[in-house]
Amino acid sequence: MKDTRTVGEILSSQGISRRGFLKFCAATASMMAMPPSMVPAVAQALSNARRPSVIWLSFQECTGCTESLTRSHSPTLEGLLFDSISLDYHHTLQVAAGSAAEEAREHAMQENDGSYLVVVDGSIPLGNPGYSTIAGISNVDMLKETAAGAAAIVAVGTCAAFGGIPHANPNPTGAVAVSDIIKDKPIINVSGCPPIPIVITGVLAHYLTFGKVPELDDLGRPTAFFGQTIHDRCYRRPFYDKGLFAETFDDEGAQQGWCLYKLGCKGPVTYNACAVSKWNSGTSFPIQSGHGCFGCSEPDFWDSGGFYRPLSATTADVGTLAGVAALAGAAAGAAIGRMNRSHRARAQARHEKLTIDDIEES
Amino acid sequence: MSTPDGLHDIAIETHSDAGAYPATGNDLPILHEIRHALQRLAQSGEKTVIDLQAIPMAPGEEERILQLLGRGEVSATIDALGPSEVRETAFAGVWTVYHRNTNNEVVGKFIEITHCPDLLHSQPEDIATGMAQIRETLAELESKQSGDQA
Amino acid sequence: MTETEFLNWVRGPGMQIALAVFIVGMVYRVLENYLIGRKQSLAEPRGSEWTHGVGTMWRRSFTRAKLTTRGYVTLVAGYIFHIAFLVTLFFLAQHVEMFRSLLGFGWPALPPLLITITAVLGIAALLALLAHRLTDPVKRMLSDYQDYLTWFLTFFPLITGFLLINRVGIPYKTLLATHILSFELLLIAIPFTKLSHIITTFISRWYNGAIAGVKGVQS
């Protein structure tokens, strides 16, 4: 049933005090990576916002993104947020199954035509639509059909945003990203494998609060969370600047917490919020626990030459190539050398000495 | 049966976090920011809020900053959607506000430079609700009393 | 091509192509020179070919007072550039990792601060040399497009590398890919231009020294 109450009305009907609401707004603003001075504006916008209908489509995915979201560290706030949105279809989480579930989706689409939000996790196989279907509907058909009446699409996870692991070489299913199929709707890419839970909720909160798509980078990711590299915000950065690198995972440098560049850290080329938001209730993030960044929020992260190879290193095997090249060079050199020699020999053979008679004759 | 005594023979070296990571240097800039904010508060009454979650911290750095700020005279707990701890630091006008959810997990960490954090004040909306409630309670009590008298 | 594809290409196939061209080209150049051959000398040698050859390779790395008559710019900037460029190329930790991936072994690196200084010196020296080339009438007349091309190909890796360490607003990924590409362009150009002096200098020095050695004169 369509709920026309505002978020403020919904929360106060649940007996939540103004203090509780302000606390919710402070945490939400922090989650959206907004300065604390924005809290009153967030509170104002949030109390008047109407809960949007959300349709969540899961395609070629591992459910890691949904796990990330539902295991996120502030269940009460997320719970509140989910009370504030109307999650009308999520085939992993919803109770309804089969045709009843699909009916829920169609119903939500009809009732909120033009205003609902579509969240997609997973890539879409184009090689053979039969690789992934829901209720007999291929992923690509369901995406096109559902996106048609959407206000915006949130591509959650690297699979939906950039094709991700299914898209990795040799891409057996012909997997593509949402943005490869849908061209006429605003798409917010929330990449990561999985994305940081607070980034997923932060983006949803932003849409809920302000009713519009946040500022995006050239890969369609919200700049509030993907505006800086892991390297830019890494607490180990001073070691990089000083040239102090761990050489192995258990040497003195690793124990001293030195930079992991030589162990293949992709922090310098990876845009994400891990170094700030961190994971597991803000406990830590990969680099803090001693492992370099994989670059999971970047396109083609799986095919970028190995997780443990330094960024400056060559990814191709060059041993055989160098041998073959040297041989080829030698063969060409020897051939031209022989040609030069025979050329010279011929020139010498043809050479006639000039005598005094020749000069006098002329 | 073998005893686990053999394990004691293995030399184990423990490395503590403290000291192992030279601080990334967040503490000094934050203290400076607080000093400037205090100056603004004293001169014009302008409040400042610093979101600690927006700053990338090295392990142990947040603790170090809190230690530098110390403990002041006031501390309070707000019970709204989980506990929130509000404390004045050793520097008057500098407060720490930690929001927790009902599972006691931290959902917001702020340093507020203000005379008193806004959240401690009773909110006008809640006061309105309170007024309605007290009227209701009074009406109930009075009707009960008049009933008793009758 | 996206930024990521660009970076992946220069780290993989791009480097393969550049190395193949460099190795084929340099082996070819060296062998072609070698096979020109010399007439057998029938005179009795008055000294050793080898000691003089190797000695000259080393000695000609240093200058002499006589050579300063044409001014100091080329000399001083030339020395600074060569030393700074080599130190930057071989002793930045990131570069050592690249060589390790190519050669299978590495060596200790120098602190980044020092490399920043050598990079700046290299850039400054190259700029001075370009300015001198453009303002000095004789040098200007003697210069052809190859002098400007090789100047650019040497300058490009230095400047992109400097920006990469010092972060000037350009995204790291694009800058890193451009920097690697600039190195690959340099590798490709070496066999076809006077940049091949990185190897042929030593061959000709050896040749001059060796001839003098056989004749028993100073080289």
Side-chain angles (χ1 to χ4, degrees):
Chain A
M1 211 175 70
K2 196 166 178 174
D3 192 338
T4 53
R5 290 178 301 166
T6 65
V7 173
E9 286 164 353
I10 293 167
L11 294 183
S12 65
S13 78
Q14 292 174 349
I16 289 161
S17 69
R18 183 70 186 175
R19 272 205 192 96
F21 178 67
L22 286 177
K23 177 174 165 177
F24 170 65
C25 293
T28 305
S30 173
M31 191 162 80
M32 292 191 284
M34 283 183 167
S37 55
M38 288 290 286
V39 173
V42 170
Q44 177 67 31
L46 210 50
S47 30
N48 298 326
R50 286 180 202 283
R51 49 186 294 193
S53 166
V54 173
I55 297 176
W56 185 302
L57 303 175
S58 298
F59 297 145
Q60 285 193 138
E61 44 79 44
C62 66
T63 317
C65 296
T66 299
E67 285 287 337
S68 173
L69 180 65
T70 55
R71 298 291 182 279
S72 64
H73 72 272
S74 46
T76 337
L77 287 178
E78 255 78 85
L80 277 177
L81 252 177
F82 275 112
D83 287 341
S84 318
I85 64 172
S86 170
L87 188 58
D88 291 326
Y89 178 83
H90 186 308
H91 72 219
T92 311
L93 298 180
Q94 72 193 132
V95 178
S99 53
E102 293 312 305
E103 262 170 42
R105 180 173 64 89
E106 282 155 20
H107 188 70
M109 282 164 59
Q110 279 163 17
E111 203 156 65
N112 306 288
D113 191 33
S115 69
Y116 59 87
L117 199 61
V118 176
V119 180
V120 180
D121 67 333
S123 63
I124 301 100
L126 293 184
N128 177 342
Y131 284 135
S132 177
T133 62
I134 298 160
I137 307 167
S138 74
N139 289 169
V140 60
D141 288 343
M142 185 178 279
L143 177 62
K144 281 180 180 166
E145 183 187 314
T146 315
I153 300 170
V154 184
V156 165
T158 302
C159 295
F162 308 127
I165 291 173
H167 176 77
N169 190 30
N171 191 1
T173 62
V176 297
V178 172
S179 55
D180 292 321
I181 294 169
I182 305 299
K183 303 284 183 193
D184 57 347
K185 296 281 173 186
I187 297 172
I188 309 167
N189 284 331
V190 184
S191 61
C193 192
I196 305 173
I198 208 157
V199 174
I200 308 178
T201 45
V203 169
L204 294 177
H206 187 282
Y207 187 80
L208 169 71
T209 311
F210 300 108
K212 59 178 192 214
V213 173
E215 194 199 340
L216 305 176
D217 70 3
D218 56 348
L219 290 172
R221 301 177 295 195
T223 49
F225 304 104
F226 297 92
Q228 280 171 309
T229 63
I230 300 292
H231 185 65
D232 284 335
R233 308 306 302 267
C234 181
Y235 76 92
R236 295 195 188 206
R237 177 66 186 272
F239 295 112
Y240 173 89
D241 291 336
K242 287 189 197 119
L244 297 173
F245 300 103
E247 306 278 342
T248 66
F249 284 108
D250 58 355
D251 68 356
E252 187 63 23
Q255 288 172 17
Q256 297 293 320
W258 289 357
C259 175
L260 300 164
Y261 185 95
K262 287 190 180 178
L263 294 168
C265 181
K266 303 294 181 290
V269 295
T270 305
Y271 291 83
N272 208 339
C274 302
V276 182
S277 306
K278 304 193 175 175
W279 289 78
N280 300 321
S281 312
T283 307
S284 179
F285 72 113
I287 291 170
Q288 190 170 336
S289 51
H291 194 289
C293 167
F294 274 6
C296 76
S297 58
E298 294 294 310
D300 296 326
F301 80 98
W302 203 262
D303 294 323
S304 292
F307 295 152
Y308 302 100
R309 201 186 289 261
L311 262 177
S312 61
T314 302
T315 56
D317 172 41
V318 290
T320 328
L321 176 106
V324 172
L327 280 177
I336 201 80
R338 272 183 72 138
M339 261 174 64
N340 287 343
R341 277 190 175 205
S342 65
H343 188 73
R344 189 171 58 185
R346 263 183 281 127
Q348 275 169 347
R350 276 203 304 271
H351 184 75
E352 285 168 22
K353 283 206 170 76
L354 192 72
T355 64
I356 195 84
D357 301 331
D358 297 329
I359 298 168
E360 280 177 350
E361 261 172 45
S362 59
Chain B
M1 213 176 90
S2 69
T3 60
D5 284 357
L7 287 177
H8 294 298
D9 299 336
I10 301 170
I12 295 170
E13 237 183 293
T14 49
H15 293 262
S16 74
D17 267 0
Y21 298 97
T24 52
N26 278 321
D27 40 3
L28 274 183
I30 288 180
L31 282 187
H32 273 294
E33 197 180 340
I34 291 173
R35 184 173 65 83
H36 285 289
L38 267 179
Q39 215 164 339
R40 282 197 302 270
L41 182 69
Q43 280 166 2
S44 65
E46 187 190 334
K47 303 173 199 169
T48 309
V49 183
I50 300 169
D51 186 351
L52 285 179
Q53 282 180 322
I55 301 166
M57 300 276 191
E61 201 164 42
E62 190 184 319
E63 289 74 10
R64 189 176 144 71
I65 290 166
L66 291 181
Q67 211 176 2
L68 283 171
L69 290 176
R71 297 279 299 267
E73 294 165 338
V74 186
S75 74
T77 307
I78 299 166
D79 192 15
L81 288 172
S84 292
E85 292 144 25
V86 183
R87 281 189 190 150
E88 196 176 24
T89 68
F91 309 101
V94 182
W95 302 72
T96 59
V97 180
Y98 274 60
H99 294 308
R100 290 168 183 278
N101 62 22
T102 45
N103 291 358
N104 216 26
E105 293 159 334
V106 175
V107 295
K109 309 170 187 178
F110 302 91
I111 294 177
E112 292 196 23
I113 294 94
T114 173
H115 293 112
C116 174
D118 287 341
L119 214 57
L120 280 182
H121 294 286
S122 295
Q123 304 295 317
E125 291 84 348
D126 293 339
I127 294 172
T129 317
M131 269 191 324
Q133 273 168 351
I134 205 163
R135 267 193 219 109
E136 222 171 274
T137 312
L138 269 177
E140 238 172 67
L141 283 176
E142 277 163 1
S143 70
K144 216 175 176 186
Q145 272 177 359
S146 59
D148 286 347
Q149 279 168 4
Chain C
M1 193 186 247
T2 64
E3 270 182 330
T4 309
E5 284 165 353
F6 179 28
L7 180 60
N8 288 347
W9 190 85
V10 293
R11 288 179 74 207
M15 187 60 95
Q16 278 182 316
I17 294 169
L19 273 178
V21 173
F22 174 72
I23 294 171
V24 170
M26 282 321 287
V27 172
Y28 171 87
R29 289 284 297 241
V30 169
L31 211 61
E32 187 193 12
N33 274 309
Y34 175 74
L35 289 175
I36 291 172
R38 272 190 287 162
K39 265 195 188 151
Q40 200 190 350
S41 170
L42 298 174
E44 192 182 330
R46 295 185 189 172
S48 158
E49 234 185 13
W50 281 99
T51 51
H52 279 80
V54 174
T56 306
M57 276 165 77
W58 171 249
R59 270 198 309 280
R60 291 212 180 157
S61 300
F62 306 98
T63 188
R64 288 177 182 197
K66 277 181 201 165
L67 296 174
T68 61
T69 48
R70 276 186 244 155
Y72 286 91
V73 178
T74 309
L75 197 71
V76 175
Y79 268 103
I80 291 178
F81 163 72
H82 278 90
I83 294 166
F85 188 85
L86 290 177
V87 170
T88 310
L89 174 61
F90 288 110
F91 292 103
L92 178 69
Q94 283 85 335
H95 294 167
V96 175
E97 289 313 300
M98 186 207 60
F99 284 114
R100 197 194 303 278
S101 70
L102 295 179
L103 305 170
F105 61 89
W107 48 85
L110 290 173
L113 181 65
L114 193 73
I115 302 295
T116 307
I117 294 170
T118 59
V120 170
L121 283 176
I123 290 168
L126 273 181
L127 288 173
L129 287 168
L130 181 68
H132 190 240
R133 188 180 287 283
L134 290 171
T135 51
D136 184 83
V138 177
K139 224 175 171 185
R140 188 171 178 172
M141 206 194 80
L142 289 172
S143 303
D144 63 3
Y145 84 95
Q146 212 195 84
D147 292 295
Y148 298 105
L149 177 73
T150 50
W151 182 91
F152 175 75
L153 288 173
T154 340
F155 185 73
F156 196 29
L158 270 176
I159 195 75
T160 50
F162 177 77
L163 293 176
L164 196 53
I165 311 185
N166 293 284
R167 315 303 311 281
V168 201
I170 308 166
Y172 193 101
K173 198 182 264 189
T174 319
L175 209 48
L176 176 63
T178 313
H179 179 59
I180 298 176
L181 181 73
S182 71
F183 175 67
E184 288 164 4
L185 290 176
L186 183 65
L187 272 184
I188 289 173
I190 287 172
F192 304 105
T193 58
K194 52 183 68 171
L195 290 173
S196 59
H197 77 268
I198 62 163
I199 289 176
T200 53
T201 294
F202 296 98
I203 297 176
S204 56
R205 280 183 192 175
W206 184 85
Y207 184 72
N208 283 325
I211 280 186
V214 170
K215 290 179 179 166
V217 295
Q218 223 182 3
S219 63

